[in-house]
Amino acid sequence: MKEIILIKLGELVLKGLNRRAFEDTLLKNLRHHLEPLGKFDIRSRQSAVTVMPREEVDMDEAMDRVGHVFGIATYVRAGVAPKNMDKIELAAADYLRRELLAAHTFKVEAKRSDKKFPIKSPQICAELGGCLLEHFPNLKVDVHHPDVAVYVEVRDFGAYIHSNPKRGAGGIPVGTGGKAALLISGGIDSPVAAWRMARRGVELTAVHFASPPYTSERAEQKVVDLLTQVSSYAGRIPMYTVPFAHVQEEIRDKCPEDLFTLLMRRFMMRVSQQIAVQNDCLTLITGESLGQVASQTMQAICCTDACVSMPVFRPLIGSDKTEIVDTARKIGTFDISIEPYEDCCTVFTPKHPCTKPHEDKLERAEQLLDVEALVQECIQNASLRVVQPR
Ligand code: ATP
Ligand code: MG
């Protein structure tokens, strides 16, 4: 039987006049996500999106990929039957055979979007319900808590038959929420922050600070691997790798030890802001969470913010580590994040970092450095690659 994926849109249905633009972006994103698997006909019709394969494709993989696209409330694999009650009955018994054999109870729900179809929804339910009871003696009807709900949606191009839909990735389509520069380390938090903002429609450009020879090539590859996983949701991500060892050596050699981390973070913000501007990004994103480490006290965060003019989005600011870890596992970044390669933040870390800094103290320390020249050196030596979903 011919199969499609039937998608119901998420929040974007609320967007009034913008709805069309949101829907177009969603369709474009679906095309990008599914393109590597083969040819599909993807259309929006009557408040749903249908994905029809135009050739033999791996439908399991297609379902997985659709599950990563933001802007989708639910999605389900559906069999397509001709719009004729006898054919619908045969198709439902055949298409959902395995699930119905394993169930004790079921119900039928019908939706007649094509008002030209002569049989009304309650009658579709009654007729199909009766037919399934005959075919499957193991079944009883339970309209409240059935093991399987059988859905029939009579739409313009056919009758779509399916069981319980899956919950989609939610959010709004990537590309409808503006562009932002993501500061990404090899840790657990920043990939989760990236996923959260992509889910709000944000298109990402990543900035990673690496400190060869203190950090290894493998540490940088780990960040590429993390972004590859994030890009399976967020789409392609340009990634800037910024060599950072010279900045760190300068701070270590010339500034008070307890300010090292904060001064380093202010450099990260300044460099990232310039890369953001070059890439038409309007905000920065970090994976900071209040009170998680010394550089994430309220005072420290105020000091890191103060050296840039762009808003800094910190989607994890109120999250506990356990919540962040749960999300990291769900989105497939956790196992990569816990690989043991060192991040540049662990190079030269002070034994007793200042947790309640004042900005004027940091500014005095920065007068010992040529801040502007160091920032420009970072920008000039940054390298760019584009990370794509697998
Ligand atoms: P994460 O788990 O994301 O590494 P963390 O708890 O280790 O976070 P920090 O090391 O203080 O916290 O980093 C805070 C934030 O600063 C990170 O979430 C990230 O946004 C940014 N950051 C840290 N290290 C780097 C780096 N090497 N390159 C780019 N951004 C970084
Ligand atoms: Mg880190």
Side-chain angles (χ1 to χ4, degrees):
M1 190 183 316
K2 203 167 137 191
E3 272 193 304
I4 61 158
I5 299 173
L6 184 62
I7 293 170
K8 301 287 164 72
L9 308 188
E11 234 180 280
L12 65 106
V13 292
L14 303 172
K15 302 292 174 189
L17 291 175
N18 289 331
R19 180 182 163 143
R20 191 53 208 272
F22 276 65
E23 232 173 72
D24 288 348
T25 307
L26 175 67
L27 294 189
K28 191 180 86 193
N29 293 349
L30 273 167
R31 287 193 186 101
H32 278 151
H33 277 78
L34 293 172
E35 205 174 67
L37 302 185
K39 292 199 173 66
F40 294 86
D41 192 7
I42 302 175
R43 288 193 202 176
S44 162
R45 301 182 178 115
Q46 298 170 314
S47 76
V49 171
T50 51
V51 175
M52 297 194 191
R54 282 201 277 150
E55 58 189 3
E56 190 75 26
V57 300
D58 180 344
M59 284 295 271
D60 292 334
E61 176 68 19
M63 280 290 283
D64 279 352
R65 287 181 181 236
V66 169
H68 281 211
V69 178
F70 294 122
I72 291 175
T74 66
Y75 65 111
V76 66
R77 225 162 135 155
V80 185
K83 287 194 273 187
N84 159 314
M85 214 41 226
D86 290 341
K87 300 255 168 64
I88 290 174
E89 287 172 6
L90 282 175
D94 177 36
Y95 188 63
L96 300 176
R97 180 175 195 78
R98 262 214 307 206
E99 280 173 82
L100 291 172
L101 279 174
H104 299 294
T105 57
F106 82 113
K107 72 170 176 181
V108 179
E109 282 202 12
K111 186 171 171 186
R112 192 174 57 117
S113 301
D114 174 7
K115 299 296 177 206
K116 287 198 227 105
F117 189 66
I119 305 168
K120 293 201 168 141
S121 302
Q123 204 183 335
I124 300 176
C125 292
E127 286 189 25
L128 178 57
C131 161
L132 293 176
L133 283 170
E134 268 175 39
H135 264 81
F136 300 92
N138 55 308
L139 287 181
K140 282 202 183 82
V141 174
D142 179 346
V143 291
H144 299 296
H145 304 288
D147 296 336
V148 178
V150 174
Y151 295 84
V152 180
E153 304 193 29
V154 184
R155 290 177 168 270
D156 43 4
F157 286 91
Y160 302 145
I161 294 158
H162 61 85
S163 57
N164 302 336
K166 294 185 167 198
R167 191 169 346 155
I172 55 179
V174 171
T176 61
K179 282 174 142 194
L182 162 78
L183 282 80
I184 183 159
S185 67
I188 294 168
D189 304 328
S190 38
V192 173
W195 179 84
R196 286 247 194 123
M197 293 318 302
R199 197 173 59 161
R200 297 314 301 165
V202 173
E203 203 178 318
L204 303 170
T205 293
V207 185
H208 173 63
F209 295 86
S211 303
Y214 305 102
T215 58
S216 66
E217 224 166 83
R218 195 61 194 77
E220 190 180 327
Q221 183 57 41
K222 176 182 172 185
V223 178
V224 175
D225 293 346
L226 282 169
L227 279 179
T228 303
Q229 183 59 19
V230 172
S231 78
S232 75
Y233 294 91
R236 67 195 284 283
I237 304 174
M239 170 185 170
Y240 288 84
T241 303
V242 181
F244 207 43
H246 186 215
V247 170
Q248 291 179 297
E249 286 164 349
E250 283 281 299
I251 301 173
R252 176 199 59 187
D253 294 345
K254 298 183 177 161
C255 300
E257 194 198 345
D258 65 331
L259 301 182
F260 177 85
T261 307
L262 288 163
L263 292 167
M264 178 182 84
R265 297 201 49 74
R266 279 162 65 92
F267 271 98
M268 286 185 177
M269 302 303 270
R270 292 186 180 101
V271 172
S272 299
Q273 175 166 261
Q274 289 213 9
I275 292 175
V277 170
Q278 286 169 6
N279 287 275
D280 302 321
C281 297
L282 297 181
T283 64
L284 303 176
I285 299 169
T286 76
E288 288 161 304
S289 155
L290 191 64
Q292 197 187 78
V293 289
S295 62
Q296 295 173 29
T297 63
M298 197 177 282
Q299 293 85 343
I301 286 175
C302 289
C303 289
T304 29
D305 254 22
C307 70
V308 286
S309 54
M310 241 177 214
V312 182
F313 287 176
R314 297 182 171 85
L316 308 183
I317 196 72
S319 299
D320 283 358
K321 194 76 185 186
T322 50
E323 293 162 346
I324 301 170
V325 165
D326 286 348
T327 308
R329 286 188 199 280
K330 188 176 91 178
I331 66 173
T333 55
F334 183 77
D335 288 339
I336 308 170
S337 290
I338 59 171
E339 287 173 9
Y341 312 105
E342 301 258 290
D343 183 62
C344 80
C345 284
T346 52
V347 176
F348 315 140
T349 10
K351 277 194 204 69
H352 303 289
C354 172
T355 55
K356 293 201 172 117
H358 286 287
E359 210 201 347
D360 47 3
K361 216 166 137 192
L362 292 165
E363 281 173 348
R364 270 204 301 284
E366 282 165 353
Q367 280 165 13
L368 305 168
L369 306 166
D370 189 343
V371 173
E372 194 43 37
L374 287 168
V375 169
Q376 288 322 315
E377 185 186 306
C378 285
I379 302 277
Q380 266 152 27
N381 294 333
S383 60
L384 171 64
R385 79 182 89 199
V386 175
V387 179
Q388 307 265 13
R390 246 188 273 283

